[in-house]
Amino acid sequence: MSKKNFETEAIRIQSERTQFKEHATPLYLTSGFVFDDAEEMRASFAEEKERDLYSRYSNPNTSEFIEKICKMEGAEDGFAFASGMAAIYSTFAALLSSGDHIVSARSVFGATHGLFTKYFPKWNIETSYFSVNDLESIEDLIQPNTKFIYAETPTNPGVEVLDMEKLSALAKKHNVLLIIDNCFATPYLQQPIKFGADLVIHSATKLIDGQGRVLGGITVGSKELIRDIYLFSRLTGPALSPFNAWVLSKSLETLAVRCDRQCENALKLATFLETHPKVKWVKYPFLKSHPQYQIAIKQMKLGGTIVAFELNGGMESGRKFFDSIKMCSLSANLGDTRTIVTHPASTTHAKLEKEDKEAVGILDGTVRCSVGLEHIEDIVKDIEQALNAL
Ligand SMILES: *Cc1c(COP(=O)(O)O)cnc(C)c1O
């Protein structure tokens, strides 16, 4: 059959049915697999025969999840991890050596930045940072030992959008790899490989699960690069559990419809916030006022589910706003069916200096809202009453 559409692949890619002819994929909660004889075991371990040996290497549930994401991202191969951070860490650890250098956007997920600043120096891996508003500066940062350009788009928590075609042209010119953390967009809204990325990483914990239940991560790309990541991971053991893979594969079946509604809600909320007098600015990729609106509409199918906005009145307003919220959840997670509000300046980014906060796109009164699947009227009502309390 010819190539199917995204929604169909997400539902119809399925591991082979067992003799029970189950409709949904069964859960293969098994650490190991058995062999018929010595020869089968030898051939399997020698990789002459492709089959599951041990769940640290592969498992039918993780393979199904990987196959779906590869199809959605247009990637040749992938490996699934216990969390998004396990995917990021293992990808870097598998492909970098002591003495290497990477160029990263300053505006990246907090734990990713922590990995670069706390652990990379210990392994003699150096990181240089570029501002998401100045991609031209990347050229000056590239050194003979540079291996990767690394970025997220849209960024967490500032919701900045980076031009992936520009990043990929720079990477190709200097013969380095472009790695994109595609967590905020999901493979439904954006496929970085189309724009020239070499590897794409996801925290599946966020919109891919989409229901706030399990942790997971995945890296996809060329067969050759994934082979190195696989060999490292098979030795070091950051693999995704079959149970979580089963949950995540099922979640992918509804990713498109969840994203459609959540993005619709997010655009409506962002449009409402733009008119509210207590709000200084709103950042949402599909608002015309977003500084990278033109790039966003080129790269993304819809604007995503995260809205950032700045309250008049800074830190004090931020705290008061949070204390006035009645329905939305105060949580650090995102990409859930439940709308979540976060105040980065007093929580996840509290330890940063003012300039560092600004560098990641947040100020003292910035609110990050992960828009969920509740009725939009109720989301707006809750946020509006908390704004009116300021
Ligand atoms: C949450 C997140 C991660 C880390 O994922 P975990 O599954 O929590 O380990 C990485 N990148 C981005 C952009 C994230 O939002």
Side-chain angles (χ1 to χ4, degrees):
M1 214 168 133
S2 61
K3 192 176 177 304
K4 297 186 202 75
N5 287 298
F6 185 97
E7 292 82 348
T8 313
E9 298 282 21
I11 289 168
R12 288 293 167 182
I13 289 175
Q14 208 177 352
S15 53
E16 233 172 276
R17 295 208 165 91
T18 71
Q19 77 269 29
F20 298 111
K21 306 265 184 233
E22 63 285 328
H23 196 195
T25 300
L27 171 56
Y28 295 94
L29 209 51
T30 177
S31 44
F33 301 84
V34 293
F35 303 89
D36 290 337
D37 51 37
E39 174 49 25
E40 193 196 8
M41 200 157 175
R42 183 208 61 77
S44 305
F45 275 82
E47 294 189 71
E48 287 163 21
K49 188 180 163 124
E50 213 176 298
R51 53 153 293 169
D52 295 305
L53 310 176
Y54 188 56
S55 289
R56 169 151 44 80
Y57 302 3
S58 71
N59 171 287
N61 292 124
T62 49
S63 299
E64 182 184 288
F65 173 62
I66 293 166
E67 194 186 336
K68 282 188 185 181
I69 298 278
C70 285
K71 209 34 143 237
M72 293 168 162
E73 289 283 6
E76 285 175 5
D77 206 356
F79 192 81
F81 298 90
S83 69
M85 283 319 301
I88 294 169
Y89 164 70
S90 307
T91 300
F92 284 120
L95 301 177
L96 292 176
S97 303
S98 171
D100 284 345
H101 170 254
I102 65 165
V103 175
S104 169
R106 172 60 191 86
S107 188
V108 289
F109 185 63
T112 307
H113 187 249
L115 178 66
F116 296 165
T117 51
K118 291 198 181 78
Y119 293 96
F120 276 17
K122 201 162 91 162
W123 303 321
N124 193 28
I125 294 165
E126 202 196 339
T127 311
S128 302
Y129 301 100
F130 63 90
S131 154
V132 295
N133 303 314
D134 186 12
L135 302 189
E136 273 71 30
S137 69
I138 292 173
E139 274 204 280
D140 298 330
L141 299 174
I142 289 178
Q143 305 173 7
N145 58 342
T146 305
K147 290 288 152 64
F148 305 155
I149 298 175
Y150 182 79
E152 298 169 7
T153 182
T155 63
N156 182 6
V159 206
E160 315 266 6
V161 175
L162 279 74
D163 187 338
M164 290 188 283
E165 263 171 3
K166 202 177 257 181
L167 290 174
S168 129
L170 286 168
K172 289 198 168 52
K173 182 173 167 195
H174 294 278
N175 201 23
V176 303
L177 298 179
L178 175 62
I179 306 183
I180 296 288
D181 179 336
N182 199 25
C183 171
F184 266 38
T186 80
Y188 178 59
L189 301 183
Q190 162 179 294
Q191 296 94 37
I193 289 173
K194 264 197 211 157
F195 298 98
D198 298 287
L199 288 167
V200 179
I201 302 182
H202 283 284
S203 164
T205 315
K206 310 293 168 55
L207 281 146
I208 289 177
D209 172 47
Q211 289 142 94
R213 301 165 298 186
V214 300
L215 292 173
I218 187 163
T219 302
V220 300
S222 68
K223 264 200 176 338
E224 192 190 346
L225 289 170
I226 295 298
R227 174 79 184 158
D228 287 341
I229 295 167
Y230 163 75
L231 290 173
F232 174 83
S233 303
R234 145 183 158 148
L235 278 183
T236 54
L240 180 65
S241 93
F243 178 79
N244 287 3
W246 178 80
V247 171
L248 292 169
S249 184
K250 202 78 192 140
S251 299
L252 285 175
E253 296 182 13
T254 56
L255 178 67
V257 284
R258 284 187 283 110
C259 277
D260 279 342
R261 177 64 70 82
Q262 277 172 275
C263 293
E264 183 190 323
N265 283 353
L267 180 60
K268 283 183 182 159
L269 176 67
T271 307
F272 159 77
L273 289 168
E274 274 201 312
T275 66
H276 200 285
K278 300 279 171 69
V279 175
K280 201 184 266 176
W281 51 255
V282 184
K283 218 174 240 178
Y284 181 70
F286 270 32
L287 279 185
K288 289 211 173 72
S289 59
H290 192 289
Q292 295 103 21
Y293 171 72
Q294 291 300 336
I295 301 162
I297 58 170
K298 181 182 79 177
Q299 293 181 169
M300 300 173 75
K301 186 183 170 78
L302 295 163
T305 65
I306 311 289
V307 181
F309 57 100
E310 178 70 17
L311 303 169
N312 288 323
M315 186 65 84
E316 201 181 318
S317 289
R319 296 178 63 98
K320 194 152 180 210
F321 174 82
F322 278 82
D323 284 339
S324 307
I325 287 287
K326 293 198 170 86
M327 178 191 77
C328 299
S329 312
L330 310 184
S331 170
N333 195 23
L334 61 94
D336 201 322
T337 52
R338 296 178 172 80
T339 298
I340 294 169
V341 285
T342 316
H343 184 217
S346 70
T347 56
T348 47
H349 294 67
K351 289 201 198 87
L352 295 190
E353 298 295 332
K354 189 165 177 288
E355 298 91 78
D356 288 328
K357 273 191 256 186
E358 282 168 16
V360 299
I362 62 159
L363 301 167
D364 283 345
T366 304
V367 177
R368 184 190 73 192
C369 183
S370 163
V371 183
L373 283 175
E374 303 95 339
H375 197 287
I376 184 60
E377 278 173 23
D378 297 318
I379 299 170
V380 169
K381 229 185 262 175
D382 191 27
I383 297 209
E384 185 175 26
Q385 64 80 26
L387 288 172
N388 291 342
L390 297 182

